[in-house]
Amino acid sequence: MNTAGHPEAMAPRGLELTPFRGLRYDPDRVGSLAAVTSPPYDVVVRPDGLHHLQDADPHNIVRLILPQADTPSARNEQAARTLRHWRSEGVLRADPEPGLYVYEQTDTDGMVQRGVIGALRLSDPSDQVVLPHEDVMPHVVADRADLMRATRANLEPLLLTYRGNGTAADTSAVLERVIEQPPLLATTTEDGYHHRLWAITAPEDVARVQADLTHHQALIADGHHRWATYRRLRAEHPSPGPWDYGLVLLVDTARYPLRVRAIHRLLHNLPVRDAVAALKGHFRVRRLDLPLAAALEHLAEATASGNAFLLAGDGTFHLVDRPNPDLLARTVPADRPEAWRALDATVLHATLLDHIWHIPEDDPARIAYIHDTAATVRKAERDGGTAVLMHPVREEVVRDLARQGVTMPRKSTSFGPKPASGLVLRALDL
């Protein structure tokens, strides 16, 4: 049977997950576990979210994943000092024996996401073991690499997905038996998510999980920059060694489907009136004097028949759709599959950002990527910029492109819920 290019087919090696001694907060040394956690580093809305988390507890994990100082080198040195201090003071303690970890998230709507955290052996793209679906920004990879070099730690797990087979021998069966035991920790964060963590240390359970995962490949759901960082650091260090592995959360989406949301853009120093004026003759633009939720419904309806975006920042919304076909033919690269050429993110970057607004996609002084819809609108209104709100792409589109080895434009999707940072860390010296 020809299985080439299929992300769930048997690979030469498959996923190799290894136990590690998790570094975790001592609940007796912090105000509360919820107060020391954070969303992943790239989800924290700066500066509001960062300051809020820093004020929540003096030991909040943002002091490691987003250290604050005058220069990049000073920030990384500060994170390294903080980590050493917290370990020496017992704020962070290493678990007594290596293990894998079961991580569960639930919300008030009855959603359950459950997966296994471990140290995953790194692989090359040609191995087709871990499939990326988005491009990365070199300056972000460099920033994360500098931080990991300084701290010699994986401070937060990537989110990877795979498709299990639903048998009694697969990983989910082990996880569902382990959670019958009391958890190592349980906490509820201010976003309403309830988090629980268990350790898998029994050799037979670890072996079952490892054997099952060798039959699977994974899609990067969240953490493309950290995966690229892992691979860069592996190339810098002798092998075999701890840099051959990276901290990940693996979720079986056949058992626990993820939610897919959009990542929005905030265009600095581009007022909405100028952004709209530049679209004349290229797109249809309609003003919507509606609440955010109603405006997003119009966006969803428009994307059902073509590319569409919602601009905000001047106190109202502007629905942008019906691009000029000749414009798309001139600006969208023709050397990719049609599914890629039709993506809203492709049209946004190739046509709107590059051709019409002339905004580099990797210049943080010109553009920011924000997950929270309302926060994007608020920041645009406050700063006088333009928020570009996106409609989420379907998960099957992401997987189909990944199977073809085609990466989507940067920050095209937001899979979730994302693992909370601060529940378990991996120090490379343990």
Side-chain angles (χ1 to χ4, degrees), residues 47-64:
D48 315 68
L50 178 64
H51 293 160
H52 171 72
L53 291 167
Q54 285 181 329
D55 293 343
D57 191 284
H59 300 112
N60 190 283
I61 192 68
V62 293
R63 297 179 185 274
L64 299 182

Side-chain angles (χ1 to χ4, degrees), residues 186-208:
T187 190
T188 301
T189 46
E190 63 179 16
D191 57 7
Y193 280 97
H194 188 60
H195 308 262
R196 296 196 294 174
L197 192 77
W198 295 260
I200 305 175
T201 56
E204 61 274 17
D205 286 337
V206 171
R208 282 183 65 187

Side-chain angles (χ1 to χ4, degrees), residues 5 13 40 55-56 108 119-120 133 136 144 173 190 232 262 273 280 282 316 339 344 350 357-358 387 390 392 406:
R13 185 173 69 227
D55 293 343
T108 55
L120 184 69
H133 69 269
V136 297
R144 291 294 98 184
E190 63 179 16
R232 173 183 290 193
R273 64 178 181 275
K280 186 176 180 180
H282 301 303
T316 188
D344 288 337
W357 292 327
H358 307 293
M390 310 280 288
V406 177

Side-chain angles (χ1 to χ4, degrees), residues 107-127:
D107 67 9
T108 55
D109 296 328
M111 184 282 306
V112 177
Q113 178 171 292
R114 194 175 291 142
V116 59
I117 295 175
L120 184 69
R121 179 180 288 276
L122 306 182
S123 57
D124 296 323
S126 60
D127 296 330

Side-chain angles (χ1 to χ4, degrees), residues 384-419:
T386 294
V388 183
L389 307 183
M390 310 280 288
H391 186 68
V393 66
R394 300 190 314 277
E395 182 177 0
E396 56 266 30
V397 173
V398 178
R399 288 189 176 276
D400 287 345
L401 288 172
R403 288 168 182 161
Q404 299 175 57
V406 177
T407 55
M408 299 171 65
R410 298 162 181 172
K411 299 293 185 181
S412 295
T413 58
S414 175
F415 284 85
K418 304 178 189 301

